[in-house]
Amino acid sequence: MQLGIVGLPNVGKSTLFNAITKAGAQAANYPFCTIEPNVGVVAVPDERLDVLARMYNPKKITPAVIEFVDIAGLVRGASKGEGLGNQFLGHIRNVDAVVQVVRCFEDENVTHVEGSIDPARDMQTIQLELILADMQTVEKRLDRTAKTAKSGDKKLAAQADELKEIFDGLSGEVPARAQRLSESQLELCRDMCLLTIKPTIYAANVGEEHIATGNAYTERVRQRAEAESAEMVIVSAQIESEISDMEPDEARAFLSELGVQGSGLDRLVQKSYSLLGLISYLTAGEKEVRAWTINRGMAAPQAAGKIHTDFEKGFIRAEIVSYDDLVACGSMAAAREKGLVRSEGRDYIIKDGDVVLFRFNI
């Protein structure tokens, strides 16, 4: 999973990226200090792995990972190339979901590209640039499809009508993800790599004093996100920077003192998994304890294929125990004795937290 971090210049994008990835991307108080996207791979926080590791004492612990891409700050006019906008918008097309950092803190030492703090305006600025870029993409596709449809191809004529509906929605400043689209229209949007069809999380970046309760700015972000069918999370790039070098127990204690459960990274991961319809199943043994990310609703053979294609081809069955049952019993053997380890076939839908052993023929 790849998440693109976007926003106006000087809203805390690169600071947040540095903190959660420890990748050392440059952060400075001037626009366009990020030109090429910085990429950092982050382990998905999952305390279940630590618990299983204590049970199995494995040689290796492998968490699921998320790739964060720090994309340079967008400005008004980006869709027309302002501020190297076309290049930056191209980077967004390649990510699975967008995390837009919105400035919700006041600091006279950090300039704002628009001259004042106004989250709703900033969100609208970015949204409008993405919509304008999408309108260009849809218009080109619509013109090409409509011309070809004149030959009498009814399928293309219907597709042109669908494209026209998408274009009209965008013209009304409605992002594609917030439009009531049919399955075929959704497929068209994905095929065109529209920017506004991508699942979006607004990260309201606050100062330390507002991390637990938010402020008037974050409320504006929440209202706007709900109107756009997007998610919202309150984070503090400042706090993430402070805890990035702490030991886990020290970081938890620090966050607890601030009245916060979990880091900004934890909240971003939770929102991302929910938004993209992802879950994790677990495998555990003396060699390795590992989390595997799959789409919610995936059947056992396809989930096995995430480990190796041979597992899916030669799938026989999956031996499954829930994480909670395994931990409560203390061992797989004890769970078997209590009848909590199930043998499931090809139609079984993997659930989040399933501890799985796949049986297969090579």
Side-chain angles (χ1 to χ4, degrees), residues 173-191:
E173 298 188 9
V174 180
R177 67 176 178 276
Q179 296 182 30
R180 295 181 178 179
L181 303 178
S182 65
E183 273 303 317
S184 56
Q185 286 176 314
L186 284 170
E187 189 57 40
L188 280 170
C189 290
R190 296 187 190 106
D191 184 55

Side-chain angles (χ1 to χ4, degrees), residues 154-179:
K154 293 183 179 179
K155 184 177 180 181
L156 286 178
Q159 188 176 101
D161 290 339
E162 292 181 326
L163 287 166
K164 181 65 164 56
E165 288 179 3
I166 297 169
F167 183 84
D168 289 345
L170 293 169
S171 298
E173 298 188 9
V174 180
R177 67 176 178 276
Q179 296 182 30

Side-chain angles (χ1 to χ4, degrees), residues 8 44 53 56 65 79 97 100 123 160 168 174 186 200 202 215 219 223 250 267 286-287 312 319 328 356:
L8 294 173
V44 173
Y56 285 89
V65 297
S79 60
Q100 184 181 328
M123 294 166 76
D168 289 345
V174 180
L186 284 170
T200 298
Y202 287 106
N215 55 29
E219 186 55 33
Q223 292 172 0
E250 183 183 2
R267 293 190 291 280
E286 293 181 359
K287 289 185 178 180
E312 181 175 359
E319 295 180 5
V356 186

Side-chain angles (χ1 to χ4, degrees), residues 301 305 308-315 346 360-361:
H308 197 286
T309 53
D310 286 346
F311 283 32
E312 181 175 359
K313 292 176 183 176
F315 179 87
R346 306 184 67 85
F360 62 99
N361 284 321

Side-chain angles (χ1 to χ4, degrees), residues 302-323:
Q302 289 69 52
K306 291 291 183 178
I307 299 176
H308 197 286
T309 53
D310 286 346
F311 283 32
E312 181 175 359
K313 292 176 183 176
F315 179 87
I316 299 174
R317 66 180 185 278
E319 295 180 5
I320 294 174
V321 60
S322 76
Y323 167 81

